[in-house]
Amino acid sequence: MDTLAVILEAPERLALRPLEMKPVEAGDVVVDIAWSGISTGTEKLLWTGKMPPFPGFGYPLVPGYESVGRIVDAGAQARGRIGDWVFVPGANCYTDARGLFGGTARRVIVPSARALPIPEHLGDAGVLCALAATALHAIKGGFHHRDALPDLIIGHGVLGRLLARLTLALGGKAPTVWETNPARRAGAVGYQVIDPSQDERCDYHAIYDASGDAGLIDTLVMRLAKGGEIVLAGFYSERVSFAFPAAFMKEVHLRVAAEWQPGDLAETRALIECGRLGLDGLVTNRRPATEATDAYPQAFSDPDCLKMVLDWSDC
């Protein structure tokens, strides 16, 4: 079985071409993808060639871990799932390309457990479920701390917006959000987005960085109350370091938030279904998958593009 897939042949060299897929096993499902999101964090590092090396990484690869679609076929043990609308957090089903992420293709084969049910009515906003679950994972990981909910969020991209929306959805007070790009300060509902230079507070209890800027730690330490927490919620390609004396004086808690877990996605889905968490206004750009070679550079360079989604319907 073949599929049409986006392939990163090398940094900044992208193609859309057929790939042969591995055979369907008994516990697998076959998913026709409707939409795939482009990540401006991890996938940008893949695109620029700045992704730190780790096991399984290399080119050529199929990017993508934010796809939604319908199960159209399955192995003998998963036939009952045919027809389900699902989120696919990547696939490793290709014979001649790495599937380290692997979700940006017209059709994918994944183990049934990796095809996670989500509401079909979300449409292309369904690609945001993993990022919303990542934001929830960052917040829930701090519930042992007395001030787990963010009161300062760095960056008003999609992750920053989801952190702010989840703070309100979970009953927290409206957080402050820092954003240096004036074009990205719009779109806040129920919270304030400001330029960092306009903020004089130095008593924040929980600062969540969604910018991915490894050089901000010293600045954030100075904005904390004593015993406060800094959560690194982005992905950092550069070495993270900080001056010890100021952190010592503040008795800083530093926490790294990794990727979401299935329970995070289930809780995120429940918050969406009950209306406490909205995903509206976050998908700003949509292009046919046939225009992937133009969509990727735009997703990474256009400040007005919060989330780019590829539409596979005409492929």
Side-chain angles (χ1 to χ4, degrees):
M1 188 188 305
D2 288 348
T3 186
L4 186 66
V6 169
I7 302 170
L8 269 173
E9 307 280 11
E12 299 190 21
R13 201 174 87 211
L14 183 143
L16 182 69
R17 61 177 173 85
L19 283 179
E20 182 181 352
M21 293 194 290
K22 300 173 184 177
V24 178
E25 298 185 0
D28 289 343
V29 294
V30 181
V31 184
D32 275 0
I33 300 300
W35 295 289
S36 298
I38 298 176
S39 163
T40 56
T42 306
E43 287 189 76
K44 185 176 182 179
L45 295 174
L46 294 172
W47 170 259
T48 59
K50 294 181 179 179
M51 173 65 78
F54 53 87
F57 172 69
Y59 300 94
L61 62 83
V62 178
Y65 48 87
E66 299 177 329
S67 295
V68 295
R70 192 176 307 280
I71 296 175
V72 296
D73 200 358
Q77 297 174 5
R79 301 290 296 174
R81 298 206 62 196
I82 293 176
D84 288 359
W85 187 260
V86 294
F87 177 88
V88 179
N92 187 20
C93 56
Y94 313 104
T95 61
D96 54 353
R98 295 174 186 264
L100 182 63
F101 299 101
T104 308
R106 179 65 185 91
R107 175 172 286 186
V108 299
I109 300 169
V110 295
S112 177
R114 282 185 61 79
L116 305 167
I118 63 167
E120 185 174 356
H121 67 78
L122 292 178
D124 59 9
V127 305
L128 296 166
C129 284
L131 196 56
T134 296
L136 182 65
H137 183 79
I139 292 173
K140 300 290 274 189
F143 272 11
H144 66 281
H145 194 264
R146 65 181 182 276
D147 295 297
L149 290 172
D151 51 4
L152 175 62
I153 297 165
I154 313 302
H156 201 226
V158 178
L159 180 58
R161 293 171 196 237
L162 286 168
L163 285 166
R165 293 183 186 194
L166 280 165
T167 300
L168 297 175
L170 294 171
K173 295 180 180 179
T176 297
V177 179
W178 284 1
E179 177 54 65
T180 58
N181 185 345
R184 292 215 164 175
R185 291 189 198 129
V189 178
Y191 59 93
Q192 185 181 24
V193 185
I194 61 175
D195 187 287
S197 64
Q198 298 176 339
D199 190 358
E200 297 181 354
R201 278 191 63 181
C202 296
D203 61 350
Y204 289 106
H205 293 283
I207 301 178
Y208 282 59
D209 178 55
S211 72
D213 184 351
L216 277 178
I217 307 300
D218 288 330
T219 297
L220 302 184
V221 166
M222 300 308 297
R223 298 305 191 110
L224 276 177
K226 188 169 185 176
E229 182 177 52
I230 296 173
V231 180
L232 303 182
F235 189 87
Y236 304 83
S237 59
E238 303 297 328
R239 184 179 180 86
V240 175
S241 62
F242 57 92
F244 183 76
F248 174 83
M249 295 296 292
K250 291 287 185 81
E251 293 188 341
V252 171
H253 294 253
L254 185 65
R255 182 163 56 87
V256 175
E259 63 183 353
W260 57 276
Q261 299 298 310
D264 301 313
L265 187 65
E267 187 171 351
T268 298
R269 186 176 63 217
L271 288 169
I272 293 169
E273 289 178 339
C274 74
R276 290 167 62 187
L277 175 64
L279 302 178
D280 53 296
L282 299 179
V283 174
T284 54
N285 296 73
R286 302 162 178 84
R287 298 187 75 154
T290 52
E291 298 178 8
T293 54
D294 295 321
Y296 273 78
Q298 181 184 358
F300 302 144
S301 62
D302 182 355
D304 293 325
C305 179
L306 288 177
K307 174 60 71 173
M308 173 72 74
V309 167
L310 298 179
D311 181 349
W312 291 93
S313 61
D314 293 332
C315 295

